[in-house]
Amino acid sequence: MNWTFLKHEFLLTYRSKKNIPFVVFLCIALLSYCFLFVPNKVTQETFNVDEVKSKLTELKAEQDYRLAKGNTGIILFSGSPVFFLNAESYGLFSAMLAAYEDGNATRWLHLRANYLERETSVYTADQELFKDSPFPGKDRLHLYNQTMLRYDTYLAKEHPITFGMIEEKTGLQALQKFFQQYGMYFVLFCAIYFSSDLLSRDRQNKTVLQGLPMSWYRQLNLKTLSSFFYTHAVVGIVLGLGVLLIALQYGFGYFDLKIPTILIKDEYPREYYDVMTIASFLGKVAMIIPVLVYLFIRLNVIFSLIFKNEWLVLVISSLLLFSEKLYLTRTSRELLGVDISFFPQTYFDFGNVITGEKNFLLNTTTMDFSTGILVLLVTVVVIEVLLFVLSRIFNKRRFYSIG
């Protein structure tokens, strides 16, 4: 009976007229992401060939002018050896351009890393970088440190260097960046959307389902499991296909490729950087996703018992999912006088918790993987107790007879 009911619920979710268009939308969004967003994504480290060629043309024209005028020495007013510095820049960017056009990623990275080692101002003095941030200087230096650490790990030559790896566009790197940006919200919204009508859809078949020889609480549990499995199936297929499509363009990547993390300790007022492998990062993400998906599906069951309307459930759960965005700022440490690390919504964006990025952004030390797991598990227990009580108050007869 349990298996038959679970299979029945899974197929209902699979054939839902509400879910099918959403899955189609996910497929279109996936193709757009893989073939439009990722290839055209521009970062501080994107090598613009046209811009470099233009810079070289300008440098050559200036050097020719200085040679013709004999201005090849040190400028007395500033004490700057402009001609020498221009010649050095011309040689460096010419070599970088040649390496890029030849497809020699290793040589290009050596040149770029050496250049950034000397010219930190490329990051720290760029006024357009993080211009809307409340702490632009701090964020620029942070990005610079992360970039240099990442390049150091690549130059250790544990793996062949490719331009896809340098731009973080290989399949596994794209997946890792996805979960550090908005991937967790994507997964959780899918769970919310697919489970928003778990109970309300049954109210169209009251007579059949009221007589089902199964306890109401067991039905709620099996419905939860059906949505849990369906969500993981859809998300798993979408993400797996996305990694494959990106891998066909830029390579699959390496599970043991190292990515920067940040450690902030109470006794030190500054940042300390470390590395972790992509496998470790994705492993921790894989551990937390089932907990969060289960949590939101159970919340939807609770809201469905109370409100009996799938769209109202969808709106309320979505507001809860993005609730942190309504109050969180770069100076947020507490909510209602309590440290934010004790609130479950702090860990919905779990990718940044794993790498320590969220601690850096909020300048705190209280959030980490183990604390997040504990808080979310406690939240699940509280929700389970609440659902058990509500299932007795809003029992099967009452749920199907009202409205």
Side-chain angles (χ1 to χ4, degrees), residues 9 12-20 190-205 209 223 226-227 230 296-297 300-301 303-305 308-315 317 399-400:
E9 288 293 326
L12 279 180
T13 306
Y14 173 73
R15 295 167 181 165
S16 171
K17 293 181 179 179
K18 173 179 73 73
N19 293 341
I20 291 176
C190 286
I192 290 171
Y193 189 88
F194 292 142
S195 63
S196 60
D197 63 341
L198 270 182
L199 300 186
S200 60
R201 69 190 179 194
D202 291 345
R203 291 169 63 78
Q204 301 173 5
N205 304 290
L209 292 168
K223 283 175 175 292
S226 71
S227 184
Y230 181 80
F296 271 97
I297 293 175
N300 273 6
V301 173
F303 294 145
S304 296
L305 285 173
K308 306 179 181 67
N309 182 290
E310 62 187 87
W311 299 112
L312 191 55
V313 170
L314 177 61
V315 170
S317 290
F399 180 79
Y400 286 120

Side-chain angles (χ1 to χ4, degrees), residues 40-81:
N40 295 305
K41 184 179 180 182
V42 177
T43 69
Q44 190 74 1
E45 289 304 294
T46 299
F47 189 72
N48 190 318
V49 174
D50 293 334
E51 187 178 299
V52 171
K53 286 182 177 180
S54 177
K55 181 181 179 68
L56 288 173
T57 300
E58 292 176 3
L59 281 174
K60 187 176 188 308
E62 182 179 347
Q63 293 296 83
D64 289 344
Y65 176 80
R66 288 183 176 278
L67 277 173
K69 294 291 184 177
N71 298 331
T72 59
I74 297 175
I75 298 177
L76 297 178
F77 180 75
S78 63
S80 176

